[in-house]
C-alpha cells in the first residue's frame, strides 16, 4: 500500500513538473519587448554573422510593432543611414530576432504559416526617397485547373509613403480569400506578390538602398514581393 501511495505521489510530482515546464516555455504569456539597447545588440549580433566584411551596425530603433502575442516587427536605421527591419518571435520564454535585414524592401511575412490572417506586408525604406506612395499587389496567374479556366486576378493596396516609410500591415481580407484557396506549397504556385514605388505623377521610382546584409536564425516564413513596373500590370 505504501508503495502504491509513493508511486502516486511520484507520478503527481512528475506531472506537475512537466506541466510547469510546458507552461513556462510554451503557454506562459510573452513578456515585454526588449528595450532599444537590447534590441540593437540582438540585431547587430545577427547582421554580423553574415560572413561578410560589411560589419553594418544598427544606430537606432525606429519602432516596435507587436503583430500578435508571439511575433513582432522592429524597423531600424543603420550607422550609414540605411534602413532595415527585424522580425521577432517569443521562443523559449524570451524574445529573439528570427531574422534581420538591411534590405528594407517589402516582403510578405507569414507569422503563423498556414494562417493568412497572420500574414503581414513588412518594409522599411529611407524616408528621404522621392516616393509619393507604395503600391502592393496580389496577382493570381491565368491557368487551367481540372479543365476549368482560372482568369487572372490582380488586387492592389496603396500606402502613402510619407506616412509609412516603414510598416507591418495586415494582408487585406480580400487577399486572404485568394491565399486560402492557393495550391499546396509543393506544387507550382499561382499567386504572386509584387510592389511598386511611385512618384506624385504615378511614375515608377527606383529605390537603390544602401545594403543587403541579412541573417535568418530560425525558420522564418516569408513570401518574396517582386518589384514591378507599370507594363507588367493589367
Amino acid at each position: 500500500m505504501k508503495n502504491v501511495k509513493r508511486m502516486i505521489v511520484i507520478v503527481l510530482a512528475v506531472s506537475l513538473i512537466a506541466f510547469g515546464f510546458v507552461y513556462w516555455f510554451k503557454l506562459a504569456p510573452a513578456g515585454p519587448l526588449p528595450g532599444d539597447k537590447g534590441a540593437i545588440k540582438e540585431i547587430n549580433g545577427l547582421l554580423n554573422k553574415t560572413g561578410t566584411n560589411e560589419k553594418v551596425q544598427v544606430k537606432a530603433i525606429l519602432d516596435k510593432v507587436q503583430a500578435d502575442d508571439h511575433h513582432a516587427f522592429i524597423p531600424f536605421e543603420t550607422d550609414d543611414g540605411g534602413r532595415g527591419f527585424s522580425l521577432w518571435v517569443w521562443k523559449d520564454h524570451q524574445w529573439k530576432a528570427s531574422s534581420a535585414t538591411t534590405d528594407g524592401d517589402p516582403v510578405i511575412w507569414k507569422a503563423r504559416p498556414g494562417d493568412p490572417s497572420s500574414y503581414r506586408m513588412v518594409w522599411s525604406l529611407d524616408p528621404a526617397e522621392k516616393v509619393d506612395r507604395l503600391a502592393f499587389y496580389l496577382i493570381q496567374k491565368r491557368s487551367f485547373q481540372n479543365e476549368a479556366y482560372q482568369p487572372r486576378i490582380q488586387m492592389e493596396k496603396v500606402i502613402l509613403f510619407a506616412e509609412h516609410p516603414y510598416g507591418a500591415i495586415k494582408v487585406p481580407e480580400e487577399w486572404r480569400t485568394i491565399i486560402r484557396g492557393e495550391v499546396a506549397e509543393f506544387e507550382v504556385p499561382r499567386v504572386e506578390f509584387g510592389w511598386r514605388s511611385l512618384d506624385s505623377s504615378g511614375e515608377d521610382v527606383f529605390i537603390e538602398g544602401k545594403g543587403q546584409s541579412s541573417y535568418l536564425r530560425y525558420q522564418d516564413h516569408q513570401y518574396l514581393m517582386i518589384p514591378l513596373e507599370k507594363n507588367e500590370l493589367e
Side-chain angles (χ1 to χ4, degrees):
M1 189 68 174
K2 288 183 178 179
N3 288 338
V4 173
K5 289 182 177 178
R6 183 179 301 144
M7 184 61 67
I8 291 174
V9 170
I10 291 173
V11 170
L12 287 174
V14 171
S15 298
L16 286 172
I17 292 171
F19 175 79
F21 180 86
V22 171
Y23 177 82
W24 180 256
F25 285 101
K26 302 297 182 183
L27 302 178
L33 289 167
D36 286 6
K37 287 184 178 180
I40 288 174
K41 181 179 179 180
E42 171 84 357
I43 298 167
N44 280 336
L46 280 188
L47 291 177
N48 292 316
K49 286 182 179 179
T50 58
T52 69
N53 295 319
E54 190 173 358
K55 297 300 181 184
V56 65
Q57 294 288 308
V58 175
K59 181 176 73 172
I61 297 297
L62 301 175
D63 201 354
K64 297 172 187 174
V65 180
Q66 202 155 334
D68 59 27
D69 291 343
H70 293 86
H71 298 87
F73 163 82
I74 299 183
F76 56 81
E77 181 181 2
T78 59
D79 54 5
D80 63 354
R83 297 299 175 102
F85 61 82
S86 56
L87 303 177
W88 293 66
V89 61
W90 177 255
K91 186 178 178 67
D92 297 333
H93 209 70
Q94 58 184 324
W95 283 105
K96 302 294 284 184
S98 58
S99 66
T101 178
T102 58
D103 177 5
D105 287 357
V107 299
I108 299 288
W109 175 30
K110 300 187 289 183
R112 299 188 301 276
D115 178 7
S117 69
S118 76
Y119 295 4
R120 289 179 178 252
M121 297 178 285
V122 297
W123 71 95
S124 180
L125 301 170
D126 187 346
E129 296 283 358
K130 298 186 182 304
V131 175
D132 180 72
R133 58 193 183 276
L134 298 174
F136 302 119
Y137 298 91
L138 175 147
I139 298 172
Q140 181 171 274
K141 301 175 182 178
R142 293 182 180 86
S143 65
F144 286 91
Q145 296 289 328
N146 299 321
E147 299 184 357
Y149 171 65
Q150 172 63 56
R152 177 186 171 96
I153 297 174
Q154 179 176 300
M155 296 182 175
E156 180 185 61
K157 174 72 175 180
V158 177
I159 300 293
L160 293 178
F161 185 69
E163 298 176 8
H164 302 283
Y166 61 80
I169 64 172
K170 285 188 175 183
V171 167
E173 176 58 39
E174 59 270 23
W175 290 26
R176 296 178 219 163
T177 301
I178 303 299
I179 296 170
R180 290 188 189 101
E182 178 62 323
V183 294
E185 290 188 5
F186 59 83
E187 298 178 7
V188 178
R190 291 174 292 144
V191 170
E192 295 179 348
F193 298 94
W195 69 288
R196 296 171 67 201
S197 48
L198 307 171
D199 63 18
S200 57
S201 300
E203 297 299 320
D204 293 296
V205 176
F206 175 71
I207 296 179
E208 183 174 359
K210 292 183 179 291
Q212 294 186 0
S213 243
S214 301
Y215 189 85
L216 274 69
R217 169 182 278 143
Y218 308 120
Q219 188 174 13
D220 200 334
H221 299 269
Q222 300 177 18
Y223 276 130
L224 178 67
M225 298 194 83
I226 303 168
L228 299 173
E229 296 183 0
K230 186 176 182 179
N231 60 11
E232 298 178 81
L233 301 171
E234 295 185 5

